[in-house]
Amino acid sequence: MSAEKMKGSKILLESLKKEGVTDIFGYPGGKVLHIYDDIYKSDIKHYLVRHEQAAAHAADGYARSTGKVGVCLATSGPGATNLVTGIATANMDSVPMVAFTGQVSSGDIGTDSFQEADIIGITMPVTKHNFLVKDVKDLALTIKKAFYIARTGRPGPVLVDLPVDVTVNKAIFNYPESIIIPSYKPTTKGSSRQIKNAIKMIREAKQPVVLAGGGVISANASEELREFISLTKMPVSSTLLGLGAYPYNDYYSLQMPGMHGTAFSNFAIQEADLLISIGMRFDDRITGKLDTFAPNAKVIHIDIDPAEIGKCIATVLPIVGDAKEVLKEMNAYLKEESIEAKEPWLKIIEKLKLDYPLTYKMDKNAISPQYVLEVLNELTNGDAFYTTEVGTHQMWAAQYLNHTQPRHFISSGGLGTMGFGFPAAMGVQVANPGKTVINIAGDGSFQMNIQELSTVSYYNIPVKNIILNNQWLGMVRQWQELFFEERYSSTNLEGMQPDFVKVAEAYGVLGLRATKPAEVREVLKRALSHNGPVVVDIRVVREENVFPMVPAGGAIDKMIGERGSI
Amino acid sequence: MRHVLSVIVENKSGVLARVAGLFSRRGFNIDSLAVGTTEKPEFSRITLVVTGEDLVIEQITKQLYKLIDTYKVTDLTAAKHIEREMILVKVSINANNRSEVIEIVDIFRGKIIDVSDKNMTVEITGDYEKNEGFLSLLKKFGIIEIVRTGTVAIQRGTGN
Ligand SMILES: Cc1ncc(C[n+]2csc(CCOP(=O)(O)OP(=O)(O)O)c2C)c(N)n1
């Protein structure tokens, strides 16, 4: 008996089911009509966004908040190119995602046919890998590979380009149970010899600092990190993508390092004699000028991607492996032979934390953006997912929210994509129904994907957009104030803004506003208790800057603070 | 330092673009690149000549490995290996210097593959230094055109 052949579009949906996909974000068009026809018949839930960029960010938020592979879909040409910013964002932050794009018929490729774009060429530098499927017979195996590559090793986005004939033609559907790609074998287990050496170095260090990055979160190694710190009693600083890996306000927490990190974190790093960096890549926003960074420290670098080791900074001891597995093994050794707390160092840290706390001014009549975040901490009790847009509000969210759980703070770190937060929040909410999902937005960024109000309204995706509205492109304004003698070129949005409350209402979304500090708590309470999407327009102090700040390319212990240099 | 990297990749379309794209995107320079199939039809070998400090070469190697289609990257520089590059060079000649050119070609064991009364085309195979030496001797006659294949290399002995 010969098995019945199946249409490519159906094979795609059956393959997604095999991968456990339940939700996809997308936008239709001519070259994906067959796929949409099968979506219509399928029980996989498709969310129609209003711009393909949002589909990619939503898949990204879905993935970051769950660890599952996010899925998005767009048609050929402009649909595909609209995904690119979202794919690049996911790539920079190592997010597992599979993006499907329609393509002109395989026979027409290369003829500049209608809505043809070389999306394989375009996305080569911004994906972990990509595939052009040329024959429907290869479709199922390619999808299997795409998901496998996206989720294993250092995660990342994979794009699968589907010429329309591949979705129309038929093949026998046979989804492989497992797969081996001989040329792709990520190392997950760290070298035990190196791990033992690392413990020896930790034991001998006098002033160690742990740097935890997004890799700790994507490896689901937050528990192991917490145990590691309790066994070694070392101070730990989390990068933007690592926030939540370790409880933010814990005794050993240094909070965040770098350009807008805490002063005590930066001072501790500069005085450290040992850095143990786990799943972080020494981004320039962390290190400032490289040859002034951590001048006295030896570096132990734990990362699943060998190419990160030695890329920016010389490493004394590299450990290539999955953060969870490496930390587990370390913890096992540490339990056998404990490490004494380095009391003099911890005393120094205690004093640094006392001397250089994060501070901001409070005014009776004007809302400080930081205050809004502190009220949110209270109201949500730490039990909320946060996404952010990009700008000063993002940095305050990083600084002032009380990060207690991994996968709960979701922000575009590597690419710094304005317009990310709102659609990402949609993805987070779809993946976590019943949970509170809050997008901390700037008034500039929010307008970059504001059309998604239509999506959240239609599907009743109850995300809470909190706009810290300063009527500026605030982060750029801050640089202009500090480094361009207050020449505010193209950053003042005063008088150029829509009424966000009315915009929300026009889309059928609840719009709220606060203009005075006394209103903040009530308005936020209302927003959080509303059973549906909300836009809250909070008019904050207009010219508030983010401090501390390390000027670009400077040394991280040369910071500007609220009252001049620190 | 000059390094010769031998890269085994999946033999399929787009792989060369991935490798070339990697070099331009990360700002690595390629001195030469030669690509062809291997004893196994499913693999291609890309031989890259690159110049850089050890740390840069290490980064290049790791980045090449990161490409999903890369099987193996071998830095042949430290191992005993043989390098060859073929050059076709068209040099101008006249009745007076013709025999001198032929003499040089003979010394370098080149092959004359085309001659007219104004120019001569020579094929020469050798390692980088020999070929450079040969070209520098031809310079004074006037080189009209050079075509180079890029270096290919193989490890000596039974090493695999
Ligand atoms: C897509 C994109 N374009 C431009 C930028 C550069 N940029 C970084 S922050 C910023 C201003 C953001 O303004 P807003 O969203 O209002 O936030 P604020 O800084 O005022 O809190 C700009 C323009 C960017 N990060 N992303």
Side-chain angles (χ1 to χ4, degrees), chain A residues 213-341:
Chain A
V216 175
I217 290 181
S218 57
N220 295 316
S222 181
E223 277 308 314
E224 287 75 10
L225 176 71
R226 290 165 192 218
E227 186 173 23
F228 177 65
I229 299 300
S230 79
L231 289 165
T232 54
K233 300 159 198 86
M234 295 188 283
V236 51
S237 192
S238 304
T239 67
L240 185 79
L241 293 189
L243 290 172
Y246 192 81
Y248 194 67
N249 287 319
D250 179 82
Y251 173 76
Y252 294 104
S253 170
L254 292 170
Q255 305 187 347
M256 186 173 76
M259 180 174 273
H260 293 297
T262 56
F264 48 82
S265 185
N266 287 350
F267 285 133
I269 289 169
Q270 293 303 78
E271 287 178 30
D273 63 353
L274 178 67
L275 291 183
I276 303 107
S277 64
I278 313 172
M280 59 82 70
R281 58 183 174 83
F282 295 100
D283 180 86
D284 56 270
R285 285 314 194 240
I286 305 290
T287 63
K289 190 169 194 255
L290 263 178
D291 48 14
T292 61
F293 178 73
N296 310 314
K298 293 179 185 157
V299 175
I300 298 174
H301 195 169
I302 303 165
D303 206 294
I304 196 155
D305 180 359
E308 286 306 337
I309 287 163
K311 187 182 81 177
C312 300
I313 207 160
T315 301
V316 173
L317 189 93
I319 302 176
V320 175
D322 177 80
K324 190 181 186 85
E325 299 212 9
V326 173
L327 282 170
K328 260 194 190 155
E329 192 170 338
M330 286 220 192
N331 292 345
Y333 296 135
L334 288 163
K335 275 187 229 161
E336 279 169 22
E337 207 182 332
S338 67
I339 287 191
E340 294 224 345

Side-chain angles (χ1 to χ4, degrees), chain A residues 390-393 416 418 442-445 448 470 472-476:
Chain A
V390 171
T392 57
H393 62 279
M418 290 172 71
D443 47 291
S445 298
M448 285 215 180
N470 53 15
W472 284 104
L473 298 176
M475 183 59 95
V476 182

Side-chain angles (χ1 to χ4, degrees), chain B residues 2-144:
Chain B
R2 181 175 172 275
H3 286 250
V4 181
L5 303 181
S6 182
V7 189
I8 301 290
V9 294
E10 191 112 355
N11 179 14
K12 60 184 185 199
S13 68
V15 176
L16 195 57
R18 287 181 206 280
V19 172
L22 171 68
F23 274 74
S24 66
R25 177 159 52 96
R26 301 240 173 221
F28 305 138
N29 289 317
I30 306 179
D31 297 343
S32 90
L33 181 153
V35 57
T37 50
T38 66
E39 66 284 359
K40 297 195 185 93
E42 65 272 31
F43 298 136
S44 295
R45 182 190 301 276
I46 301 176
T47 308
L48 289 161
V49 181
V50 291
T51 312
E53 289 173 29
D54 288 354
L55 273 177
V56 175
I57 303 298
E58 187 186 321
Q59 240 325 281
I60 291 177
T61 305
K62 286 170 165 178
Q63 292 294 345
L64 283 167
Y65 261 120
K66 224 171 132 168
L67 296 176
I68 306 290
D69 293 329
T70 305
Y71 277 86
K72 194 155 176 52
V73 183
T74 314
D75 187 348
L76 292 175
T77 321
K80 283 194 178 133
H81 69 284
I82 301 156
E83 284 179 31
R84 289 291 180 270
E85 181 189 34
M86 190 176 89
I87 298 181
L88 301 178
V89 53
K90 197 180 284 171
V91 60
S92 46
I93 50 166
N94 55 43
N96 297 332
N97 62 20
R98 190 187 167 106
S99 57
E100 194 185 340
V101 173
I102 292 174
E103 206 172 302
I104 294 171
V105 171
D106 277 349
I107 292 169
F108 279 84
R109 282 190 250 146
K111 259 194 259 170
I112 296 162
I113 51 178
D114 190 33
V115 194
S116 71
D117 45 347
K118 290 223 181 72
N119 60 54
M120 186 187 285
T121 301
V122 181
E123 171 194 323
I124 179 150
T125 303
D127 64 19
Y128 180 76
E129 270 166 28
K130 171 187 165 183
N131 288 352
E132 287 297 306
F134 177 69
L135 290 175
S136 74
L137 285 180
L138 288 193
K139 234 185 216 151
K140 64 173 179 193
F141 306 103
I143 291 174
I144 301 161

Side-chain angles (χ1 to χ4, degrees), chain A residues 193-208:
Chain A
R193 195 172 51 94
Q194 297 289 73
I195 288 175
K196 284 183 188 146
N197 285 339
I199 290 178
K200 185 157 172 279
M201 284 173 73
I202 293 169
R203 199 179 298 284
E204 286 164 6
K206 293 198 166 58
Q207 312 207 135

